[in-house]
Amino acid sequence: AGSRETNPHLLPEICRQLDAGVEVIEVGNTWPMRDFVDVRSMAKVIMALTERARGIDVFNVGSGNTLTVQEALDLLVQAHGRDVKIRSVESRKRVNERPYLCPSVERLRNHLGFAAAGFSLQTAKAIWEEPPETRRFYA
């Protein structure tokens, strides 16, 4: 998640709606836990892995920490600064929702000495600090 995150996932979609002035945003399940990652930090990890590459290797890239979907949405709305309602609606809920998605980043930390930073209020604020004309939430 972050400024210029272009994968069509939940947080970029919510950002797009916030930018469009939507006052009530309808989402599905808000309880799942995810390793939302700061896109700038992920880029740094990928660059560091690329610079140190010696042949083919596999790493999980993430922060190793989770937030609930609701916590991530709350950070986005707080950073945006508008009074926006987030409403969980049945029609958007996944029947087979995965409750927990978080990679093990132990190997990454052992190799680089660090992992990606998780999504935070700082990440959310950076989205809205970028000029509106350069924000892109989809490619």
Side-chain angles (χ1 to χ4, degrees):
S3 180
R4 298 186 189 216
E5 159 56 282
T6 58
N7 286 317
H9 295 298
L10 175 66
L11 298 185
E13 172 58 23
I14 299 303
C15 290
R16 188 189 63 72
Q17 290 185 46
L18 287 169
D19 251 6
V22 173
E23 294 181 15
V24 177
I25 297 174
E26 294 183 346
V27 298
N29 297 317
T30 59
W31 52 264
M33 300 181 79
R34 301 287 185 261
D35 185 7
F36 296 103
V37 178
D38 182 302
V39 71
R40 298 165 300 176
S41 177
M42 181 174 270
K44 288 178 186 173
V45 168
I46 292 169
M47 286 176 49
L49 286 170
T50 301
E51 290 169 352
R52 296 177 188 187
R54 302 292 179 262
I56 297 173
D57 214 338
V58 177
F59 294 90
N60 290 326
V61 178
S63 73
N65 300 304
T66 61
L67 294 173
T68 65
V69 168
Q70 185 65 57
E71 290 169 326
L73 295 175
D74 290 344
L75 289 173
L76 277 178
V77 171
Q78 179 184 352
H80 192 268
R82 269 193 24 235
D83 185 24
V84 175
K85 304 283 187 255
I86 303 287
R87 184 176 300 146
S88 177
V89 296
E90 286 300 316
S91 63
R92 297 191 64 103
K93 291 182 179 179
R94 293 181 184 165
V95 176
N96 296 318
E97 183 71 78
R98 293 178 70 179
Y100 182 85
L101 290 174
C102 184
S104 169
V105 295
E106 181 179 354
R107 190 160 187 270
L108 179 67
R109 283 192 176 117
N110 287 339
H111 186 73
L112 293 180
F114 64 96
F119 184 69
S120 65
L121 184 57
Q122 180 183 0
T123 304
K125 286 180 178 180
I127 293 168
W128 310 119
E129 289 170 354
E130 184 164 334
E133 62 274 8
T134 62
R135 279 188 221 137
R136 291 185 187 87
F137 299 115
Y138 289 110

